[in-house]
Amino acid sequence: MALLQIAEPGMSTAPHEHRLAAGIDLGTTHSLVASVRSGSAECLPDSSGRVILPSVVRYGETGVKNMGEDALACADTDPFNTVFSVKRLMGRGFKDVEGLNLPYRVKDSGGMVEIETDYGTKSPVEVSADILRNLRKRAEATLGGELVGAVITVPAYFDDAQRQATKDAAQLAGLNVLRLINEP
């Protein structure tokens, strides 16, 4: 059987050139990264062997202080600097989120809301980028090379602003978005 490879004009790869890509489920509570290895999809683990990353980031004086399980453990003791469920804020204005019961401080910035930490203001795009950056590094370490891109899941109900915010977060994380795919 012959293998047919289709590419955009001027974008074809050299024969047998390996290009690495991953799929990312950027979730509200948990995220993960996967890739096809040896013909089957495989979730990629972190250095501790965990494949699921809690979508939680804790900020400190120097930026990201903790992420994932470590940040989740600090949510009760440091609620103003520990951000979770940021996906609910992506591409949303203050009026869209003012009814949400969040322990951290959210402020109106005239466009998309911002999150006030003790160490500075973060946009939902920046927080999502920190999560995506972690997943990109995990994929590159596991696969042994630089990713050329990623397919990222978004809820089917996401509007254009939320989809663009997700693309912006990926770009900030150093990822080329190959495609956004609707979840169920």
Side-chain angles (χ1 to χ4, degrees):
M1 174 162 78
L3 178 64
L4 176 65
Q5 187 172 5
I6 300 171
E8 294 291 327
M11 299 293 291
S12 64
T13 60
H16 308 292
E17 179 182 353
H18 291 283
R19 296 176 62 193
L20 302 174
I24 295 177
D25 179 12
L26 180 61
T28 304
T29 55
H30 295 93
S31 296
L32 61 85
V33 61
S35 190
V36 175
R37 298 175 79 186
S38 301
S40 66
E42 180 181 320
C43 294
L44 305 178
D46 64 9
S47 59
S48 300
R50 296 179 296 228
V51 294
I52 294 177
L53 175 72
S55 300
V56 183
V57 182
R58 180 174 171 229
Y59 292 97
E61 288 181 42
T62 58
V64 175
K65 190 167 188 170
N66 305 97
M67 185 166 299
E69 297 283 346
D70 295 336
L72 187 59
C74 299
D76 290 336
T77 58
D78 193 13
F80 293 140
N81 301 311
T82 306
V83 181
F84 59 88
S85 296
V86 73
K87 185 172 167 180
R88 296 166 70 188
L89 307 178
M90 292 289 281
R92 307 298 231 146
F94 189 73
K95 291 195 186 282
D96 298 326
V97 301
E98 62 185 339
L100 296 178
N101 187 18
L102 300 169
Y104 47 86
R105 302 170 295 233
V106 178
K107 73 175 189 173
D108 189 359
S109 65
M112 191 180 337
V113 295
E114 292 184 330
I115 301 155
E116 287 186 68
T117 72
D118 293 339
Y119 306 102
T121 302
K122 298 288 180 189
S123 73
V125 169
E126 291 172 309
V127 178
S128 293
D130 287 332
I131 295 166
L132 288 168
R133 190 174 296 111
N134 181 288
L135 294 170
R136 178 183 56 85
K137 288 178 182 177
R138 177 189 295 191
E140 290 176 345
T142 304
L143 298 173
E146 188 175 330
L147 292 180
V148 296
V151 174
I152 301 174
T153 62
V154 294
Y157 62 81
F158 259 26
D159 62 21
D160 288 341
Q162 292 169 303
R163 289 173 183 277
Q164 187 59 52
T166 303
K167 287 180 181 179
D168 293 345
Q171 185 176 18
L172 195 58
L175 285 167
N176 174 33
V177 177
L178 300 173
R179 182 171 290 159
L180 294 180
I181 293 183
N182 288 343
E183 301 169 347

